[in-house]
Every structure is written in structure tokens, then in C-alpha cells.
Amino acid sequence: MIPSGIETALLDSWNYFLHLVTILAPLFIGASFLVGLVEEYLPPEKVEAMLRKRNRGSGNVAAAGLGAVTPFCSCSTVPVLAGLLGAGAPLGLSFSFLLASPIVNEIAAFLLLGLFGVEITAIYLVSALVAAIVGGVVIDTFDLGHLVKDVRITTNDRTVATDGGIASCSCSSSVQTTKSHREHVETAAGGAWSFFKDTFPYLLLGMTLGALIHGAVPASWLQQVAGNPLAVPLAALAGAPLYVSMAGMLGIAAPLVDQGVPIGTVIAFVVGGAGVSIPNLILLNKLFERKLLVVYAVTVVTIGTVLGYGVNFLFV
């Protein structure tokens, strides 16, 4: 016989899980198709070519914008980053792309919209994009190019080399056949299904953890923890070891807000987790010296902290 208190908590968790599924699953399906379309029209090689000859300033804006709309995972972002550095792109420009890529994307936009509405979504996306631009410009003022490792990365049919940040890129890509828009859409649909199958388990895990938090963790305890003056930067740091995917993180974020944790604190948690996730740092460690890796991590945590305090100021 299950004790009544535990039974009530489990029932509450199950009901909240169903609530999350009805909101997030349809949005995730739509976002998956959009991801497939973007990958068709903006493959990594094309993004790299668009950014190679950009200069500082406007280049940072373009890099952050392309980082935001291209749904690359870390295993795709790092080769693009290596190609940019190998072609002589400024480190700050490359950082704007790197900062925007994990925290501003279609999945985040769709799921944030469903969970928190237009206002919060718009503030998150615009603020994170501006932060990526500013972060890249600031990084560019420091002489850190020597902290880029001399590496050669082979991915699919091309090889990129950073040569310690010196302009030298050897890329070979196969001849691209011209596709009709219909063929792009059909390929995108297939890619969307593959992306959905690969990523949905993480969304499911996030929703399950979120539902358990909602049903089993007392709201008063969460609110007490969130009331700590250092809760925002601590949340940005805490996101890293818990990160599985942006979809999974937002599945956890929703119940935290519903339980009374300030929205800005939750956003700091999401930004920190997306940018300083352990898989992301492991891949970047192949490209950056330890000092530059620390600079990147501190920049992401700073962005999460500033966004978190800013949103709390506006809405709490």
C-alpha cells in the first residue's frame, strides 16, 4: 500500500507531466521541422563561408545572428569555429557565433513561447543575442589569439585547421548538387524526423524530472533556495552538470517557475547549462587552451547572471 502522501505526490507529478506533454510535444515537432529546413538551406560549410571574410563589429552581429538561426550541436559548432579561426576570422567574431549557437535557437524559441509567452521569449532571445554580440566584441579587445590550439579537425568530407589561430584553412567539400525547393522540404522532413527521434528522449527526460520536481519538491523549499541573493549566479553554475539538451532544460525550467522560483533565476540556469555543458567544454578543450576555455565559461556564466538579474528586475 502506497502512503497517501506519496500517492498524492505521484498523481500530481503524473498530471503535470501530461500538462507538459500537451504543451511541449507539438511545439517540439514543429521546431524539429524548422531545424531540418535551416540545416538544408544553411549547412555548416555555407555558414562558415558567409562569415570568413567578415570584419569586426558588423561581423559580430552576423556571427551571432547565424549562430542563433543555425541549429548546430557542439559536434558541428566546433568544426565551424575551427574553420573560422583557421581562415583568419577575428577571435571575437568567432566567439559571438560560439556564444549564440547553444543558447539562442529554434528549439528555445518554440518551447519558451509555449511555456512563458511572447514577452518572456522575446526578452530572452533579444537579450541573449545582444549579449553574444557584446561578449564577442569585448573578447576581441584582448590579445587571446595565441590561446587557440594548433589542431586539425576532420568532419564528414572536409578538413579544417586552426594552426594556432593563424589564417590557414584546408577545406575540401564535395560538389553540391542543386536541389529544388520541394527536394529541400522533403529532405528537411526526413532530417526533422531523425532529429526528433534523437532529441525527444531528452525532452522526455526533462519533462519527467520537471514533473517529479513539481509533485515531490515542496514549493516553499524551492522559494527559500531561490531567495538567496546569490541564487542567480549559482543557478547559472548549477545548470552545467545537469544539462542534457535545451529541450530537456526547458522541461525542468517550467515547474521551477510554477513552484515560485523567479523567472530570471531559471533563465540563468538554462543559459549556464546550455553554454557551459560538460559535453560542450570537452569539445572546446580540443580547440582552446585552458585559459581561453575558462574565459569562455566565465563569459557564459556572466551572460546568464546578467540576464537573470535583469529579467528578475523586470518581472519580480
Side-chain angles (χ1 to χ4, degrees):
M1 179 108 181
I2 300 176
S4 60
I6 296 177
E7 184 178 1
T8 300
L10 290 174
L11 182 61
D12 188 22
S13 295
W14 173 247
N15 289 332
Y16 192 77
F17 176 80
L18 294 178
H19 166 71
L20 287 177
V21 168
T22 58
I23 293 175
L24 296 183
L27 290 171
F28 188 67
I29 292 171
S32 296
F33 180 66
L34 183 58
V35 164
L37 277 179
V38 173
E39 288 181 334
E40 271 296 292
Y41 285 99
L42 280 176
E45 297 87 347
K46 190 170 184 178
V47 171
E48 184 183 317
M50 292 170 69
L51 291 177
R52 263 188 209 163
K53 297 181 181 179
R54 291 277 184 169
N55 296 318
R56 295 172 177 86
S58 63
N60 289 88
V61 176
L66 285 170
V69 300
T70 48
F72 301 152
C73 62
S74 298
C75 57
S76 298
T77 298
V78 171
V80 173
L81 186 67
L84 290 174
L85 292 168
L91 180 62
L93 182 152
S94 303
F95 251 71
S96 287
F97 175 82
L98 177 62
L99 292 169
S101 186
I103 62 178
V104 189
N105 53 59
E106 293 85 350
I107 297 296
F110 271 61
L111 300 189
L112 280 168
L113 189 63
L115 291 172
F116 305 125
V118 175
E119 189 175 13
I120 291 293
T121 302
I123 289 174
Y124 173 86
L125 295 177
V126 172
S127 299
L129 191 61
V130 170
I133 295 168
V134 173
V137 171
V138 171
I139 291 296
D140 213 27
T141 61
F142 299 96
D143 184 19
L144 300 176
H146 63 286
L147 297 176
V148 177
K149 292 180 179 179
D150 181 0
V151 296
R152 184 174 297 272
I153 298 175
T154 301
T155 174
N156 296 328
D157 57 353
R158 67 196 194 106
T159 299
V160 290
T162 60
D163 289 340
I166 300 172
S168 99
C169 174
S170 59
C171 303
S172 63
S173 36
S174 56
V175 177
Q176 300 293 319
T177 57
T178 303
K179 291 183 180 180
S180 67
H181 291 299
R182 180 177 178 176
E183 288 173 323
H184 276 302
V185 171
E186 290 174 350
T187 304
W193 176 242
S194 177
F195 177 83
F196 177 81
K197 288 192 300 181
D198 291 342
T199 313
F200 186 73
Y202 298 114
L203 176 63
L204 197 62
L205 175 61
M207 291 189 296
T208 302
L209 291 175
L212 290 174
I213 289 171
H214 185 273
V217 181
S220 57
W221 184 82
L222 288 172
Q223 292 165 15
Q224 183 179 1
V225 172
N228 187 312
L230 296 178
V232 172
L234 290 176
L237 289 170
L242 298 176
Y243 182 81
V244 286
S245 74
M246 178 61 80
M249 290 292 281
L250 290 174
I252 298 172
L256 291 176
V257 174
D258 288 344
Q259 294 288 77
V261 177
I263 180 68
T265 306
V266 174
I267 283 177
F269 172 74
V270 171
V271 170
V276 199
S277 66
I278 294 186
N280 198 25
L281 292 181
I282 289 173
L283 285 172
L284 287 174
N285 186 54
K286 298 178 181 179
L287 194 60
F288 294 162
E289 296 288 350
R290 192 64 53 85
K291 183 177 179 180
L292 188 55
L293 196 64
V294 171
V295 168
Y296 167 75
V298 169
T299 302
V300 171
V301 171
T302 301
I303 289 174
T305 301
V306 171
L307 290 184
Y309 279 127
V311 172
N312 280 347
F313 176 77
L314 291 175
F315 291 95
V316 177

